[in-house]
Short mmCIF file of all heavy atoms in Angstrom, two decimals:
data_model
loop_
_atom_site.label_atom_id
_atom_site.label_comp_id
_atom_site.label_asym_id
_atom_site.label_seq_id
_atom_site.Cartn_x
_atom_site.Cartn_y
_atom_site.Cartn_z
N MET A 69 213.04 155.17 58.76
CA MET A 69 212.79 155.63 57.36
C MET A 69 212.99 157.12 57.25
O MET A 69 213.29 157.58 56.16
CB MET A 69 211.31 155.21 57.00
CG MET A 69 211.00 153.81 57.29
SD MET A 69 211.10 152.72 55.84
CE MET A 69 209.81 153.43 54.89
N LEU A 70 212.77 157.82 58.31
CA LEU A 70 212.96 159.30 58.20
C LEU A 70 214.40 159.73 58.43
O LEU A 70 214.68 160.91 58.50
CB LEU A 70 211.96 160.00 59.18
CG LEU A 70 210.43 159.95 58.91
CD1 LEU A 70 209.63 160.41 60.09
CD2 LEU A 70 210.17 160.69 57.63
N GLY A 71 215.20 158.74 58.64
CA GLY A 71 216.67 159.05 58.73
C GLY A 71 217.04 159.57 60.06
O GLY A 71 218.13 160.25 60.15
N VAL A 72 216.28 159.31 61.12
CA VAL A 72 216.67 159.81 62.49
C VAL A 72 217.90 159.03 62.90
O VAL A 72 217.93 157.82 62.88
CB VAL A 72 215.51 159.63 63.42
CG1 VAL A 72 215.92 160.00 64.89
CG2 VAL A 72 214.32 160.55 63.01
N LYS A 73 218.93 159.81 63.38
CA LYS A 73 220.15 159.17 63.84
C LYS A 73 220.56 159.72 65.18
O LYS A 73 220.02 160.65 65.70
CB LYS A 73 221.23 159.52 62.86
CG LYS A 73 221.02 159.10 61.43
CD LYS A 73 222.11 158.16 60.88
CE LYS A 73 221.60 157.31 59.76
NZ LYS A 73 220.88 157.93 58.66
N ALA A 74 221.52 159.06 65.77
CA ALA A 74 222.05 159.48 67.09
C ALA A 74 222.45 160.98 67.01
O ALA A 74 223.07 161.40 66.01
CB ALA A 74 223.35 158.67 67.41
N GLY A 75 222.06 161.76 68.04
CA GLY A 75 222.36 163.13 68.03
C GLY A 75 221.25 164.01 67.49
O GLY A 75 221.32 165.25 67.67
N ASP A 76 220.34 163.36 66.81
CA ASP A 76 219.19 164.19 66.25
C ASP A 76 218.16 164.49 67.42
O ASP A 76 218.18 163.81 68.38
CB ASP A 76 218.50 163.43 65.17
CG ASP A 76 219.29 163.37 63.86
OD1 ASP A 76 220.20 164.34 63.65
OD2 ASP A 76 219.11 162.45 63.10
N GLU A 77 217.35 165.40 67.12
CA GLU A 77 216.14 165.71 67.92
C GLU A 77 214.91 165.33 67.23
O GLU A 77 214.80 165.62 66.03
CB GLU A 77 216.17 167.12 68.46
CG GLU A 77 217.37 167.39 69.39
CD GLU A 77 217.23 168.78 70.07
OE1 GLU A 77 216.52 169.70 69.50
OE2 GLU A 77 217.91 168.99 71.08
N VAL A 78 213.85 164.84 67.99
CA VAL A 78 212.60 164.60 67.38
C VAL A 78 211.53 165.21 68.35
O VAL A 78 211.53 164.94 69.60
CB VAL A 78 212.30 163.05 67.24
CG1 VAL A 78 210.91 162.81 66.81
CG2 VAL A 78 213.28 162.45 66.22
N ILE A 79 210.62 166.01 67.81
CA ILE A 79 209.61 166.61 68.63
C ILE A 79 208.46 165.56 68.81
O ILE A 79 207.99 164.97 67.90
CB ILE A 79 209.03 167.91 67.99
CG1 ILE A 79 210.10 168.95 68.05
CG2 ILE A 79 207.73 168.35 68.67
CD1 ILE A 79 209.72 170.32 67.52
N CYS A 80 208.01 165.43 70.08
CA CYS A 80 206.97 164.48 70.42
C CYS A 80 205.95 165.14 71.37
O CYS A 80 206.34 165.86 72.22
CB CYS A 80 207.68 163.31 71.10
SG CYS A 80 206.46 161.93 71.47
N GLN A 81 204.72 164.82 71.07
CA GLN A 81 203.64 165.27 72.10
C GLN A 81 204.02 164.77 73.44
O GLN A 81 204.23 163.56 73.59
CB GLN A 81 202.34 164.75 71.48
CG GLN A 81 201.13 165.15 72.38
CD GLN A 81 199.85 164.91 71.65
OE1 GLN A 81 199.77 165.15 70.40
NE2 GLN A 81 198.82 164.39 72.31
#
Side-chain angles (χ1 to χ4, degrees):
M69 307 262 292
L70 290 169
V72 173
K73 301 239 158 45
D76 288 335
E77 290 188 339
V78 172
I79 292 185
C80 183
Q81 181 166 320

